[in-house]
Every structure is written in C-alpha cells, then in structure tokens.
Amino acid sequence: MATDIQISIVGSAGDGTIAAGEILRNALAGMGYKVISFDVYPPEIRGFGKCIARMRITTEQAYSLKHKSDVLVSLDDSHAIPHAGEVRDCGAVIYEQGSIVRLPEGGHMSAHVGPGQLPYPVPIRELSEKSTGANRSRNIVVLGFLAGLFNLPVEGFRKAIGKKFRNKAAAAEASEAAFKAGLDYAAKTFKLDDVVFGPPVSSVVAGATVEMINGNAAIVRGALDAGIDTFFGYPITPATSIMERLATEMPKRGGRLLQTEDEISAISAVVGAGFAGARAATSTSGPGLSLMAEMLGMGVIGEVPAVLFVSQRGGPSTGMPTKTEQSDLHMAVYGGHGDAPRIVIAPTNVDGCYRCAGKAFEMAEAYQTPVIVLIDLYLSNRYETVVFPARPPFESDMNRKPGKQAAGAPYKRYALTADHVSPRTIPGDKGGMHVVTGLEHNELGRPNDSAELHTAMSRKRHEKLKAALRHPDFTHFKRFGDEGPVDVGVISWGSNFGECLEAMLKARAEGIRCAAMKVVMLSPFPTHGVSAFLADCKEVLVPELNYEGQFANLLQANVARQVTRLSRVPGEPMKVEEILEEIRRLAGRKAAQKAA
C-alpha cells in the first residue's frame, strides 16, 4: 500500500515545534520512508512568533508539500487555529485537551475542528508534567502519541531522540519518559481517522548512502566532496548555516575558513584565493550579493575562478529575512557594472543543491569565471531524503595548463584562443609570471584600453561561457510529462519547480496534455533547448515567487514567445493547486477557442 501522508506541527517559538519536526522526520526517514519537509519560523524571539514543522511522508517520489495536511498537531492553539482548515476530510487534529488559563472566546482548538475532521484531544501538558516534572517536553509527548496512534515502529523514534540529545543525558532521559507517556496514552485512544502508514519501500543501490538533509547542508557536502580549500563569509539569513557547517567540517579536511568583517571583504578574499589557485567560495543572500557586485566584476575581468552560494529571501533591503522569495534572479544574472558575464545555476531540489555545489567549482575553473549557485530560503531549509553516490561525481582539477612554452616567449595569461579559454598558471609556477588588475588589458595582462583590445577581450569573456552549456554530467534543463505537442507547457526554475511538476502531473491525470521544463542553467541561457520545448507548447505558463516575473523576463529576452505569468510573493512556497488551476484555465481557454 502506497503511503502519502502530510503532518503539520504548529506551535509558538520556544515550544520545541521545530525540534519535534526534526525528530519525526529523522525517525520516519530512518524507517525507510521518503520525506520532504519545510520548517517555518519567525524572526521574533521566544514566546511570540509562530513555528510550523511540516513534512510529507511517502513511499513514492514526491516533489513538493501538499496543499492539505492529513494530520495537524497543535502545541499552541492561538497559532494552530488558523491552520485548522488546512486539514483534509477524515484527517486528524491533535490538540491540548484542557487549558489551565482563561482563554478568549473561540481560543480553544476544539471549537475549530471541522465537521469532516477527527479530533484527538490529549492532556499533553499533564502527561509532560507527570512524566518529567515539567511542561517543556510537550513536544515529545505528541511524538509518542503519534507513534502509538498510527502504529509506527517505536525504535525509530528512540534512535532519533537519542541522536537529537546525544550530548544531553538529562534531556534524553526526560524525552524517553515523555515519549512513553504519549505512547501509553495513545494505546487507550480509539483511532477514528483514515490515516494509515503502509510499509516503506527501499530502492537504495549498494554503496550509496541515504541522508535526511536540507539544501544548505547539501551545498556544504557538495563543496567538501568537490575539494573546497578556502571559504570566506559573513553571516546572513538564510545562508548562515552554510558557513557554520563548513566551519565545523573544513578543518577536519585541511581547509581554511575565515569569517570576515563584511561581504565586501569576503568576496575580495575569495577572488584573491581563487587567483592563488585555491578552490574558494563564499555564501550570502540578496543584500550581501549587492555588496559583492564590484568584486564580482573583478573576478570577471581577471578571469578568476570563484564560487558564490546565494540564498534568496524576501526583499528589497532587509525585507522579510525569514520568508522565501525568488527575487534576486535579475541581480544574480545582470547585477554589476559593465559587461560582466558570469555563470548562474539554480538547483530545483536538495539533491540538486549537492550536485550544483560541486559542479560550480568545476565550471569556475574550466571557464575561469565566477559562478553563482542561486537557491532560496525554501530550498535552504527544505529537508529531503537524498541518496548520495559511493564516489563523489566531481572532477578535482579543471584548470587548463599552459604546457611547454617556446624558449624566451612571454606567458600570455589572457591569450586569445579558439575557444576563448586561456592557459592558466598559479602564482609561483615557473615561467608563469603575469599581471592581473581590474583594468582592461592585453594578452599579457598589461593595462590597455584600445578599442580593438576592449572589443576582443569583451568577446573573449562572453564567448567562452557558451561552453558551459555543454559542461559534462550536468543537467542544464530537463523536460517532464507528455512528449510532442502539448496544450500547456509549464517552465520554471529553482525551488518552485517541485510545485510546478506536481501540478503538471495532476493536470495530466485530468486528461490535459501537459509538460514541464526545469531550467537549471540560467546564465548563459540554454536558448536552443528551451526554444525546442516552447515550440511544442500551445500555451506557456511561468510560475515563480517574485512580483515582476523575473524568470519570464529572462525567458522572453532569450526566446521571442508570449507567456502567461503566475508571479506571487506570499513569502511561502506557491501552492500546487494554484498552478494547477492556471493550467486548467489555459487548457480550457484553448478548448473554447477551438470550439469558436
């Protein structure tokens, strides 16, 4: 029996909502289920903001979270009540049975459980206090209740709890007691809903490893597996955990990491380290990327390999630092002064974060230019079960060596070659002395602003990047769904593509001829492949999480084709139903036109 269940745990900051979600998803992933999870948390400190741990558990491949949850757990009714309507018919609502404080009218969850939903009032606070002497383990009590109610293997939860509190013996002991209290209470509870977990299905090949990991952690693993040497960064939400994880892992592998005083210093150091031959990177978000623009240009004109991991959040300015958005696309592709082409790649899932992070170092060296890996908060914080190969699929050195030179011939760092990529030496290499500045230069690197040279060097910097569209073992774009002509084609990028794919699959199930394409290589743009896809589509839908339709702008700048934009800025992932409804409308409109 296939399993496809979504559980949402809602509470206030300080309730342990996110910790409960972490234990639950690790336990279920450890049992062999596929899990996709996204946590929502506020910028406020304890006691104010809403936290949501939301996860979808499946035995088949899933690409996004569902519009409706099967189970809602309330750790704080004031925050959970607005989400009661998100529970499907015959779904379960688990909440605190009583209240020790006077509640305002309508302030208890029991008054908000819908006619088709099944209520499970549980004395969560009482069970926590009786089992541990405190109410701070309410989050673990509900995990025990979930395990008991849905007959899930207890050992998986105990392993996940032990992992969470492995260095806190007292907390681990209290959690064991709280979990058992919830489990025992579930044994006395008559199950009413139709939420049923089927057995997990394992499809892992020998030698591979499976991990429950989020996008930022996957980027870290990709960078480490690609052999990152140095990292310079300045903390900023939602990219900070990339630096934090690398700070722990890099010293174990002989790498070096430095937290700089600001983003300008960070990118300057990355360009310097790249010039010196290191695999160097930084991480930031939109406000930091804008500060890095000038030195990004230095990396372009100096033809220095550099990798930037950029996680977008709601903007402009400080904007909404804990909300997701895809509104830094224009800045990533075009931001900066002068003609400063760079490679921009955007993974669409957590596995893609790993692969793009490693491939970014290959591309930076192969084409001697900065590479931006563009994700967003939704992907940074989204957890998925990922199967990692036994051997990292990344090349350790993609530099073009100068080879043997004629005696007495000067080394030309910026030689104009047939493919526009020059031989590269590292400072200290014999016979490789050359000049690098931010000024326009001749083939030797010496400053020269003649019209002919500026034209030639500008062409060199642009033309060499076209080879990135054929970089080996990299998915530049990919089509899904129906082959050949379709009524509606959905094309998107980044974290939003999972919702687009789910919507396309639902549309096909309704009999609409439909296909979807993800575009991973945003700069240079894969015009040929995208044009071929669009030629098959009677209608083209472009859903994305920004107000202007930035990807639609980029698409239309490269491919002359009218598209329908679906641009939203809710600060949250786009709903599958919203995209599906637009597909239906476009397909119906086309049918009506035919009838006319």
Side-chain angles (χ1 to χ4, degrees), residues 421-584:
V421 178
S422 305
R424 181 177 179 227
T425 63
I426 305 302
D429 286 350
K430 186 178 180 180
M433 184 178 293
H434 61 280
V435 177
V436 176
T437 75
L439 293 169
E440 188 58 284
H441 47 254
N442 61 17
E443 291 179 280
L444 298 171
R446 293 169 184 157
N448 188 310
D449 61 0
S450 73
E452 294 77 12
L453 262 176
H454 183 52
T455 300
M457 289 296 168
S458 294
R459 182 186 305 114
K460 174 188 195 315
R461 293 188 287 266
H462 282 77
E463 292 296 320
K464 69 177 180 179
L465 298 190
K466 292 181 179 177
L469 292 170
R470 301 182 298 277
H471 192 79
D473 301 322
F474 184 78
T475 302
H476 298 81
F477 56 86
K478 189 172 182 179
R479 173 175 177 159
F480 302 82
D482 287 320
E483 296 295 329
V486 295
D487 290 329
V488 182
V490 184
I491 184 167
S492 190
W493 66 288
S495 68
N496 195 45
F497 184 72
E499 280 69 19
C500 296
L501 191 53
E502 292 262 356
M504 182 274 291
L505 294 172
K506 287 178 181 291
R508 289 186 70 212
E510 294 178 7
I512 299 173
R513 279 196 58 79
C514 192
M517 173 171 275
K518 69 176 182 180
V519 181
V520 180
M521 178 68 77
L522 301 177
S523 173
F525 196 79
T527 305
H528 181 73
V530 172
S531 296
F533 173 68
L534 298 186
D536 276 347
C537 305
K538 293 176 183 175
E539 298 283 350
V540 178
L541 177 64
V542 186
E544 54 184 320
L545 291 170
N546 57 65
Y547 189 82
E548 297 178 350
Q550 295 188 12
F551 180 72
N553 291 341
L554 181 67
L555 182 67
Q556 291 187 307
N558 287 277
V559 181
R561 173 68 192 263
Q562 289 296 315
V563 302
T564 298
R565 300 169 186 239
L566 185 63
S567 301
R568 299 285 186 271
V569 283
E572 299 176 350
M574 195 175 285
K575 291 182 171 62
V576 172
E577 289 298 322
E578 194 174 16
I579 302 169
L580 178 59
E581 189 57 38
E582 195 64 16
I583 294 173
R584 289 172 180 147

Side-chain angles (χ1 to χ4, degrees), residues 9 25 38 44 52 64 97 99 119 123 233 237 270 323 385 389 400 402 411 446 453-454 517 526 561 568 576 582:
I9 305 174
R25 65 173 171 255
F38 179 58
E44 297 92 341
I52 306 175
S64 68
Q97 185 179 65
S99 174
T237 301
V270 168
K323 302 296 182 184
T385 43
R400 176 176 295 184
Y411 166 62
R446 293 169 184 157
L453 262 176
H454 183 52
M517 173 171 275
R561 173 68 192 263
R568 299 285 186 271
V576 172
E582 195 64 16

Side-chain angles (χ1 to χ4, degrees), residues 282-299:
T282 185
S283 64
T284 191
S285 189
L289 180 60
S290 61
L291 292 173
M292 294 179 177
E294 182 177 357
M295 282 306 295
L296 194 61
M298 173 70 185

Side-chain angles (χ1 to χ4, degrees), residues 201-248:
V201 178
S202 177
S203 58
V204 180
V205 299
T209 59
V210 181
E211 286 190 34
M212 171 57 60
I213 193 170
N214 67 18
N216 277 3
I219 278 180
V220 169
R221 179 156 178 169
L224 292 170
D225 283 356
I228 183 174
D229 296 307
T230 59
F231 183 94
F232 304 89
Y234 187 75
I236 183 170
T237 301
T240 302
S241 65
I242 294 174
M243 185 169 69
E244 290 174 340
R245 281 178 174 268
L246 283 171
T248 301

